[in-house]
């Protein structure tokens, strides 16, 4: 009961900005821990190329998500990636996304 009260307390204090900052810091922290190992394993030249390529792929994926959300926002309310997948790919896509998120979280 006490744990549930603490979770609800912090959930009420969370807003979009704090959630975004938390996710970005988690990703930056993870990248900061893994990049040195990657550079050591593949070398400086290939490491820089891989970093630039994956940064471009990530930015392009965010651009595609943004464009899709903007195109669908006139017809339906898309407030999350899960809702976007459900609208674009249907119920099977939503189930597949949930399954992949579960599997990839380990």
């Amino acid at each position: 009961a006490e744990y549930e009260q603490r979770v609800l307390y912090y959930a009420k204090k969370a807003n979009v900005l704090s959630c975004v900052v938390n996710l970005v810091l988690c990703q930056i922290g993870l990248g900061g821990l893994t990049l040195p190992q990657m550079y050591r394993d593949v070398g400086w030249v290939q490491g820089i190329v891989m970093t630039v390529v994956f940064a471009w792929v990530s930015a392009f994926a965010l651009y595609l998500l943004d464009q899709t959300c903007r195109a669908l926002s006139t017809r339906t309310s898309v407030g999350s990636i899960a809702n976007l997948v459900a609208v674009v790919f249907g119920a099977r896509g939503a189930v597949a996304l949930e399954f992949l998120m579960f599997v990839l979280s380990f």
Side-chain angles (χ1 to χ4, degrees), residues 65 68-88:
L65 281 171
T68 306
C69 286
R70 288 176 192 260
L72 291 174
S73 67
T74 58
R75 293 182 283 163
T76 183
S77 175
V78 179
S80 68
I81 292 177
N83 289 345
L84 176 65
V85 170
V87 169
V88 174

Side-chain angles (χ1 to χ4, degrees), residues 15-28:
N15 58 26
V16 173
L17 179 62
S18 68
C19 292
V20 168
V21 167
N22 187 23
L23 288 172
V24 168
L25 290 177
C26 287
Q27 292 302 315
I28 290 173

Side-chain angles (χ1 to χ4, degrees), residues 25-88:
L25 290 177
C26 287
Q27 292 302 315
I28 290 173
L30 183 61
L33 292 173
T34 58
L35 274 178
Q37 176 75 31
M38 187 266 300
Y39 275 91
R40 189 187 78 173
D41 291 345
V42 301
W44 281 99
V45 175
Q46 189 175 359
I48 291 171
V49 169
M50 289 174 65
T51 301
V52 169
V53 167
F54 286 121
W56 183 85
V57 168
S58 296
F60 187 67
L62 287 174
Y63 169 76
L64 291 176
L65 281 171
D66 178 61
Q67 292 301 311
T68 306
C69 286
R70 288 176 192 260
L72 291 174
S73 67
T74 58
R75 293 182 283 163
T76 183
S77 175
V78 179
S80 68
I81 292 177
N83 289 345
L84 176 65
V85 170
V87 169
V88 174

